[in-house]
Amino acid sequence: MGRQRILVLGGDGYLGWPTAMHFSAAGFDVTLVDNLSKRRWEQELGVKPLIPLPTLLRRVEAWTEVTGRSIRCYVGDITNFDFIDSVIAEVRPDTVIHYGEQPSAPFSMRDREHAVFTQVNNVVGTLNLIFSVYSHCADTHLVKLGTMGEYGTPDIDIEEGYITVTHKGRQDRLPYPKQPHSFYHLSKVHDSHNLLFAARTWNLKVTDLNQGVVYGVSTPETRLHGDLVTSFHYDETFGTVINRFLVQAARGIPLTVYGSGGQRRGFLNILDTLQCVELACRNPALPGEFRVFNQFTEEFTVGELADKVRLAGAQLGREVKKESVENPRFEKESHYYAATRTGLMDLGLEPHLLTIDVVCEMLNEVIGHAEDVNEESVWPKTLWVPKRDPADARV
């Protein structure tokens, strides 16, 4: 039997590129697909990663130069069925790791056009993948990157994908109710439902990884060469809250805490994203199974994260302040949050925790690029409930 064939969709992205290198280094036969849309969106919005990225072609060349291993690359859009169908037919992957979607909640909430684009792009791309895999290689394991944001913040514990319900004397195990945070998160819910249907009806093998917020600047592979770095976004559209705080601390800008800072979410190191995806791939779902893992290692409030960055700044001799700003999002700012995360732990996940030393290490790396920061891009501009002209509002 030859090497396991891994197809990474969205392989030019923040997670996709480190994933492709990680599996290549581990001896898998890796192919990646990307349509380079993230780079175009950056130009549209006037934002860019903290560390400049080489082209995808240069990344792949550098990987071969440094390691002697190769990563095949296809540039194209998975919403084009003929394109993704030809790739699936040629590669016939054992596993598809699906990152190939518009990944930003604020991007999806900018206006009607961005909301429609996000849902069409994400849902159609996943549907195309399902049909192509069923046609050419129905034994392929589909690993879709979901999000904990699909669940929302219910006032009960969040289970891993399913919940047992007793109603009028009868009991069933049903998909956990979803209360997504944005049009982006809604698109991921639609993906989950479509994949559940395909697993149940067509006997496909599917793992849904409901991931928390990822942080981290580097992986063992990105450190091998300057052209192997991954993207580090800090802007309000593509940057995560930890990235934004680190950049603000490096520039001496007060940390912008949305509202009270009581919003609690699950978080994980990028090293654990790679670990979780590998565990899922090495332990595939069964035919007909739609398996769900909640992929995070710790829970923090936004305020707690700000305090960690402040403490790290103090250890590096920097005074870091924080300030509350009006929350641009429609979300509960104080709420119950308790999510189950046993599946990946049972498979052997060994978490990398967000210690002060880890925050200091990330902050030090960001400080080295602080002169390149566009301060304007960190401020919140996208409103979940857009303002309307009172003259247009109907009474």
Side-chain angles (χ1 to χ4, degrees):
M1 182 176 178
R3 292 186 298 160
Q4 290 283 301
R5 297 181 300 276
I6 301 287
L7 178 62
V8 181
L9 305 182
D12 190 45
Y14 168 56
L15 298 178
W17 176 239
T19 298
M21 291 191 293
H22 177 80
F23 277 93
S24 179
F28 291 80
D29 182 353
V30 178
T31 302
L32 69 80
V33 166
D34 206 290
N35 66 356
L36 309 181
S37 56
K38 182 77 169 293
R39 297 174 187 253
R40 295 195 297 273
W41 298 331
E42 291 166 3
Q43 293 178 342
E44 172 196 336
L45 301 176
V47 301
K48 59 183 180 179
L50 180 65
I51 304 171
L53 298 181
T55 65
L56 177 57
L57 176 60
R58 176 55 197 151
R59 284 174 143 181
V60 172
E61 290 175 343
W63 177 248
T64 300
E65 291 169 8
V66 171
T67 67
R69 301 177 183 273
S70 62
I71 296 174
R72 286 190 301 278
C73 180
Y74 292 85
V75 175
D77 195 328
I78 68 172
T79 64
N80 179 331
F81 180 73
D82 289 340
F83 166 73
I84 188 59
D85 193 55
S86 67
V87 172
I88 294 293
E90 181 175 341
V91 176
R92 294 186 178 272
D94 297 293
T95 303
V96 176
I97 302 171
H98 183 16
Y99 298 118
E101 300 193 321
Q102 190 292 102
S104 165
F107 186 97
S108 75
M109 300 300 295
R110 289 176 64 84
D111 50 36
R112 186 197 66 82
E113 289 79 9
H114 287 82
V116 170
F117 171 81
T118 297
Q119 297 219 353
V120 170
N121 181 80
N122 294 0
V123 176
V124 170
T126 300
L127 280 170
N128 283 346
L129 175 64
I130 292 169
F131 274 87
S132 182
V133 164
Y134 179 68
S135 175
H136 296 293
C137 44
D139 194 47
T140 292
H141 180 206
L142 296 177
V143 179
K144 166 237 179 186
L145 191 77
T147 165
M148 291 297 294
E150 292 183 32
Y151 295 117
T153 53
D155 206 30
I156 59 174
D157 287 14
I158 297 172
E159 305 299 335
E160 288 197 282
Y162 297 90
I163 187 169
T164 299
V165 176
T166 301
H167 179 64
K168 294 185 177 180
R170 299 186 66 84
Q171 190 176 87
D172 202 352
R173 182 172 179 261
L174 301 172
Y176 194 96
K178 305 293 181 69
Q179 301 179 73
H181 289 302
S182 70
F183 289 122
Y184 155 72
H185 293 101
L186 275 160
S187 76
K188 304 297 275 189
V189 172
H190 301 329
D191 284 340
S192 295
H193 288 160
N194 287 335
L195 285 162
L196 171 60
F197 177 82
R200 186 179 70 231
T201 308
W202 297 348
N203 219 35
L204 297 185
K205 300 188 294 188
V206 181
T207 296
D208 198 4
L209 299 174
N210 284 332
Q211 182 166 252
V213 181
V214 184
Y215 61 86
V217 184
S218 59
T219 71
E221 291 76 30
T222 65
R223 298 187 189 102
L224 294 176
H225 190 281
D227 285 341
L228 299 179
V229 297
T230 194
S231 55
F232 179 89
H233 278 280
Y234 58 89
D235 57 274
E236 69 108 18
T237 301
F238 296 115
T240 62
V241 60
I242 300 179
N243 289 6
R244 189 174 77 248
F245 285 168
L246 290 170
V247 165
Q248 289 172 326
R251 291 285 292 192
I253 307 169
L255 311 184
T256 49
V257 176
Y258 290 178
S260 67
Q263 308 92 329
R264 182 173 293 276
R265 301 288 188 269
F267 292 83
L268 77 162
N269 193 304
I270 189 173
L271 297 173
D272 289 336
T273 290
L274 300 181
Q275 189 182 172
C276 291
V277 172
E278 183 172 353
L279 286 169
C281 292
R282 291 188 182 275
N283 302 274
L286 299 173
E289 181 182 15
F290 179 78
R291 182 178 62 174
V292 181
F293 293 138
N294 290 343
Q295 183 172 299
F296 68 99
T297 56
E298 299 177 275
E299 294 178 6
F300 299 106
T301 66
V302 171
E304 289 168 348
L305 292 174
D307 290 338
K308 280 181 174 287
V309 174
R310 290 179 67 194
L311 182 55
Q315 291 195 12
L316 297 178
R318 291 171 172 266
E319 182 183 7
V320 179
K321 298 180 179 180
K322 66 177 182 178
E323 66 178 37
S324 175
V325 299
E326 184 177 357
N327 193 344
R329 305 186 177 203
F330 182 80
E331 62 184 357
K332 299 175 184 176
E333 295 189 11
S334 179
H335 54 83
Y336 180 78
Y337 195 83
T340 303
R341 51 180 178 89
T342 58
L344 288 163
M345 299 297 290
D346 290 344
L347 290 180
L349 174 62
E350 298 179 359
H352 297 76
L353 302 181
L354 188 61
T355 64
I356 294 301
D357 287 343
V358 170
V359 181
C360 285
E361 180 182 348
M362 291 191 295
L363 181 54
N364 253 330
E365 189 156 354
V366 171
I367 288 170
H369 300 274
E371 291 185 359
D372 300 321
V373 168
N374 175 3
E375 295 186 10
E376 180 65 22
S377 69
V378 303
W379 296 101
K381 305 178 187 67
T382 304
L383 302 178
W384 259 234
V385 182
K387 292 182 169 59
R388 295 187 297 170
D389 186 336
D392 293 333
R394 294 181 179 180
V395 178

